[in-house]
C-alpha cells in the first residue's frame, strides 16, 4: 500500500529546536522544494526544520484523505493485527481483568480496529482528526470516535488500560505533549503501543531521501534509539520492539523480497517498527 501524502505548497514554518533533546544544533539531512529534514547533532533525531504549524497540517486530512483511508481500511486492519500479534497483544492483555479492558486508538481512521476489539469484549474509544473518516466509522461500526486531537477531548485520568497509535506519532509537531497526555489518561499499569516508520531500517538506508516515509506529512522520522529517548523523557519504558518490511512491494522480485523481509525482521532493520511501552512507576 502506498503511503498517503499531499505535496504542500508554500506554507508558514518556523525554526525549532530538536523535539526530543531540545538542542538547536543540527545539520541538513534531506530536502525538497517546500520542506526539509534536519538531523540533530546531539541525539540523532531526524525531523522537519523549519517545521509547519499543527493547525495547517490538520487541514491536510480532508475528503481526499478519507477516500484513501476507506479504500485501505481492510488492508491496514490486517497489517495492524499482524503487528499486534508480533508484540503478543493477546498474551499481555490477557492479564487485564475483563471489566478493565479499555482501549483508546488514537488516529483510529474509520475505527476498524476498535470495532473488532469491541466484538471481543473490549470497551473502546477512537480519536480521529479526519472528520469524514470518524463519521463514516461511527455510522458503519457503531464505535465512539472523538473528532479532533487527543488533547482537545480531555479524557479522565487513568481512563484506559491500553493506548494504541499506529502511524500517528511521526505526524505530530509536539510529540512530548502528546505522550504526556497519553500517560495521564492511561492507568498506572497500562500499556502503550506505538508503530511508526523506522529510519534506521534497511529501506531508509537504501533509498535515502527517496524513502517512502521521507514525506511532507512526516514531521519526525524516528529510529529505535530516538523513539526510545522520546518515550523515556515522557515517563515510559520500552518492553518490546519489533520491526518488519525489508524491501517495498514492487521494488524487487519475490525471490529477493522474501529473504530481505525475513532478514529485516530478524535483525530489527525492518521498515516499520512497533513498540510496546509502559509508564514508569
Ligand atoms: Zn536531539
Amino acid at each position: 500500500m502506498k503511503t498517503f501524502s499531499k505535496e504542500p505548497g508554500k506554507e508558514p514554518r518556523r525554526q525549532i529546536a530538536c523535539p526530543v533533546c531540545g538542542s538547536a544544533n543540527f545539520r541538513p539531512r534531506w530536502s525538497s522544494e517546500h520542506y526539509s529534514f534536519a538531523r540533530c547533532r546531539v541525539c540523532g533525531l531526524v525531523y522537519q526544520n523549519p517545521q509547519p504549524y499543527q493547525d495547517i497540517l490538520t487541514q491536510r486530512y480532508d475528503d481526499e484523505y478519507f477516500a484513501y483511508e476507506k479504500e485501505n481500511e481492510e488492508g491496514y486492519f490486517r497489517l495492524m493485527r499482524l503487528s499486534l500479534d508480533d508484540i503478543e497483544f493477546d498474551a499481555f492483555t490477557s492479564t487485564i481483568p475483563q471489566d478493565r479492558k479499555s482501549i483508546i486508538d488514537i488516529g483510529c481512521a474509520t475505527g476498524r480496529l476498535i470495532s473488532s476489539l469491541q466484538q471481543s469484549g473490549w470497551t473502546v474509544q477512537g480519536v480521529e482528526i479526519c472528520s469524514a473518516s470518524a463519521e463514516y466509522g461511527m455510522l458503519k461500526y457503531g464505535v465512539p470516535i472523538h473528532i479532533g486531537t487527543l488533547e482537545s477531548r480531555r479524557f479522565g485520568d487513568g481512563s484506559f488500560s491500553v493506548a494504541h497509535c499506529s502511524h500517528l506519532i511521526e505526524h505530530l509537531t509536539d510529540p512530548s505533549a502528546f505522550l504526556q497526555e497519553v500517560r495521564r489518561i492511561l492507568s498506572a499499569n497500562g500499556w502503550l503501543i506505538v508503530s511508526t516508520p523506522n529510519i534506521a531500517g534497511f529501506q531508509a538506508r537504501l533509498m535515502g531521501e527517496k524513502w517512502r516515509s521521507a514525506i511532507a506529512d512526516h514531521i519526525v522520522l524516528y529510529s529505535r534509539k530516538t523513539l526510545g529517548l522520546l518515550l523515556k523523557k515522557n515517563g515510559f519504558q520500552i518492553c518490546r520492539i519489533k520491526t518488519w518490511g525489508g524491501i517495498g512491494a514492487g521494488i524487487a522480485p519475490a525471490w529477493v523480497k522474501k529473504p530481505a523481509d525475513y532478514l529485516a525482521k530478524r535483525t530489527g532493520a525492518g521498515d516499520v517498527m512497533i513498540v510496546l511501552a509502559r509508564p514508569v512507576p
Side-chain angles (χ1 to χ4, degrees):
M1 271 163 293
K2 237 178 76 206
T3 309
F4 180 86
S5 183
K6 245 183 171 172
E7 207 48 34
K10 209 169 160 48
E11 52 192 24
R13 284 170 179 262
R14 60 181 165 159
Q15 286 287 338
I16 57 156
C18 171
V20 166
C21 76
S23 167
N25 192 352
F26 64 88
R27 64 176 172 79
R29 179 73 189 265
W30 298 322
S31 60
S32 76
E33 192 187 349
H34 294 299
Y35 60 97
S36 47
F37 287 95
R39 186 175 192 278
C40 175
R41 285 188 199 267
V42 176
C43 74
L45 185 77
V46 175
Y47 61 103
Q48 282 193 38
N49 205 3
Q51 188 186 71
Y53 289 86
Q54 190 71 55
D55 54 339
I56 290 173
L57 292 173
T58 303
Q59 293 165 18
R60 293 189 193 164
Y61 302 98
D62 54 10
D63 285 349
E64 198 186 326
Y65 177 74
F66 165 55
Y68 167 84
E69 285 290 350
K70 196 171 137 195
E71 191 189 326
N72 294 296
E73 190 177 32
E74 287 305 316
Y76 279 138
F77 172 62
R78 277 195 301 277
L79 278 177
M80 273 190 288
R81 257 327 314 190
L82 283 174
S83 66
L84 291 174
D85 291 347
D86 250 7
I87 53 162
E88 297 169 49
F89 179 83
D90 292 340
F92 75 77
T93 57
S94 68
T95 60
I96 305 171
Q98 189 57 41
D99 62 341
R100 299 207 3 233
K101 281 194 169 176
S102 55
I103 185 164
I104 182 165
D105 189 14
I106 309 151
C108 68
T110 59
R112 180 67 183 86
L113 178 69
I114 50 173
S115 136
S116 146
L117 290 169
Q118 191 177 47
Q119 283 168 17
S120 24
W122 284 79
T123 302
V124 301
Q125 175 68 52
V127 175
E128 175 53 50
I129 209 161
C130 171
S131 57
S133 294
E135 277 157 11
Y136 171 86
M138 284 191 275
L139 207 65
K140 184 172 175 187
Y141 301 117
V143 289
I145 301 177
H146 167 66
I147 301 172
T149 61
L150 173 68
E151 292 91 329
S152 67
R153 172 63 175 72
R154 296 296 294 173
F155 291 100
D157 290 3
S159 301
F160 303 97
S161 49
V162 180
H164 175 255
C165 50
S166 171
H167 292 273
L168 170 87
I169 203 156
E170 67 272 20
H171 294 258
L172 303 178
T173 54
D174 192 349
S176 284
F178 170 77
L179 287 174
Q180 293 286 336
E181 180 64 355
V182 170
R183 199 172 189 281
R184 187 186 67 76
I185 63 167
L186 260 190
S187 58
N189 53 357
W191 305 87
L192 165 66
I193 304 163
V194 179
S195 62
T196 187
N198 175 20
I199 196 174
F202 178 60
Q203 278 193 48
R205 288 168 195 262
L206 184 75
M207 306 297 286
E209 63 186 348
K210 299 254 183 299
W211 181 37
R212 63 177 183 149
S213 286
I215 55 172
D217 290 322
H218 291 169
I219 304 306
V220 181
L221 296 166
Y222 296 96
S223 64
R224 180 194 195 112
K225 181 195 160 199
T226 53
L227 183 60
L229 288 172
L230 177 74
L231 286 165
K232 192 175 171 195
K233 177 184 163 190
N234 293 290
F236 287 96
Q237 59 191 18
I238 293 181
C239 312
R240 229 166 265 172
I241 180 162
K242 298 277 178 173
T243 73
W244 68 90
I247 290 187
I251 291 177
W255 64 271
V256 176
K257 181 170 164 49
K258 243 183 151 175
D261 285 351
Y262 174 78
L263 209 66
K265 194 166 198 80
R266 282 294 300 269
T267 58
D271 195 47
V272 182
M273 58 185 164
I274 185 163
V275 168
L276 177 67
R278 303 199 84 169
V280 177

